Amino acid sequence: HAGVLPNALRVLRVDRPNVHVALYNLSSAEQLEGLRQRSLDIALVSEPPVADDPDLLGFQVLDDPMLLALPEHHPLAQQPTLRAEDLADQEWIGVQHRQNCASREDFISACIRAGFTPDIRMEATEPFTALGLVASGLGIAMIQKGLSRNAPPGVVLRDVPWISFTTPLWAAWHRINLRPLVETFRKVLTEPVSSND
C-alpha cells in the first residue's frame, strides 16, 4: 500500500537491525481479533476499530487516490482528456477487496456521482489480479495510486481526479502496550514522513 509497510520496516531496521518481524496476510476483522487476543502487535486495516472500542486504537496512515488502469492498446489510453461519458460504455473489472466489503459499493457510488454507472463484467478479489486482467485487454479498472509501480507491462494508468474515490489504510494497535518495540514501530507508522512523489 504505497510503500507504507516497507518504508516503516526500513526505518525500524535502522534502529533495531536484529529485530524479528513476522508478517501475516489477514482480513481486517482477523487482524483486529488478533490484536484483541494479543497474537498480533500492529495491524494495517482498511476499516479502523470503532471510536469507542475498549481495547483498540487506530490512526489513518494513508488515503490512497485511485488511478484508471487501461490496456495499452485501448482507444482511451492515449486520449488527452478523459470525461465521465468516455467511461460509461466501457467493460469494467471490479475489485472486491476481501478486507473491505464496502469497497465495491463505494466505487460504484463514486462513479455515479461522477456521472456514469460502471458496467462491471468481471470481479477480482485483489488489485494485482485486476491489473493482470487489464493487461490482457479484458476491461478497465480503478487501482490505488500506491500500487502503480507494480503495474504489469501492457497497462496504462491515468489520473481521473473527478472520480472522488480513495482507498484508506489505518494502523491499529492494542490500547495497553506490553512491548516498547511495538510503540516504536507504531510511531514510525503514524508520524508523517516527507515524500518525494
Side-chain angles (χ1 to χ4, degrees):
H1 238 304
V4 169
L5 182 59
N7 292 341
L9 290 172
R10 249 185 248 98
V11 170
L12 181 67
R13 287 288 186 160
V14 169
D15 288 342
R16 307 279 180 94
N18 297 320
V19 71
H20 173 77
V21 176
L23 302 174
Y24 303 96
N25 186 9
L26 304 170
S27 71
S28 290
E30 290 169 319
Q31 289 184 71
L32 295 178
E33 186 57 29
L35 292 173
R36 286 184 212 294
Q37 304 274 331
R38 304 301 224 153
S39 59
L40 298 177
D41 294 313
I42 296 275
L44 290 173
V45 292
S46 59
E47 297 178 34
V50 294
D52 60 351
D53 190 299
D55 299 319
L56 306 179
L57 295 170
F59 181 85
Q60 189 170 355
V61 294
L62 182 67
D63 198 19
D64 208 5
M66 303 296 280
L67 298 174
L68 179 65
L70 299 150
E72 68 181 341
H73 299 298
H74 192 284
L76 297 178
Q78 305 307 320
Q79 190 168 305
T81 305
L82 295 176
R83 300 162 300 156
E85 53 265 29
D86 296 327
L87 304 183
D89 297 325
Q90 300 300 318
E91 293 184 10
W92 284 85
I93 298 161
V95 181
Q96 181 60 61
H97 299 272
R98 74 182 185 107
Q99 285 206 22
N100 183 356
C101 296
S103 64
R104 184 182 195 276
E105 289 74 25
D106 292 344
F107 164 66
I108 292 170
S109 296
C111 292
I112 291 169
R113 284 192 307 273
F116 71 98
T117 301
D119 179 8
I120 299 174
R121 300 284 183 96
M122 292 186 173
E123 298 267 357
T125 56
E126 50 92 33
F128 294 114
T129 301
L131 282 169
L133 294 171
V134 171
S136 297
L138 295 172
I140 65 175
M142 294 295 286
I143 302 296
Q144 302 97 297
K145 186 176 184 177
L147 300 178
S148 61
R149 64 180 145 232
N150 301 101
V155 173
V156 172
L157 299 171
R158 299 284 304 275
D159 275 314
V160 281
W162 39 266
I163 298 180
S164 58
F165 178 54
T166 61
T167 300
L169 184 69
W170 281 268
W173 59 90
H174 201 283
R175 287 179 184 270
I176 300 169
N177 179 25
L178 302 176
R179 300 171 51 193
L181 181 60
V182 173
E183 178 68 10
T184 300
F185 190 63
R186 182 192 65 77
K187 285 182 179 174
V188 169
L189 276 173
T190 59
E191 290 177 356
V193 292
S194 61
S195 173
N196 295 331
D197 291 336

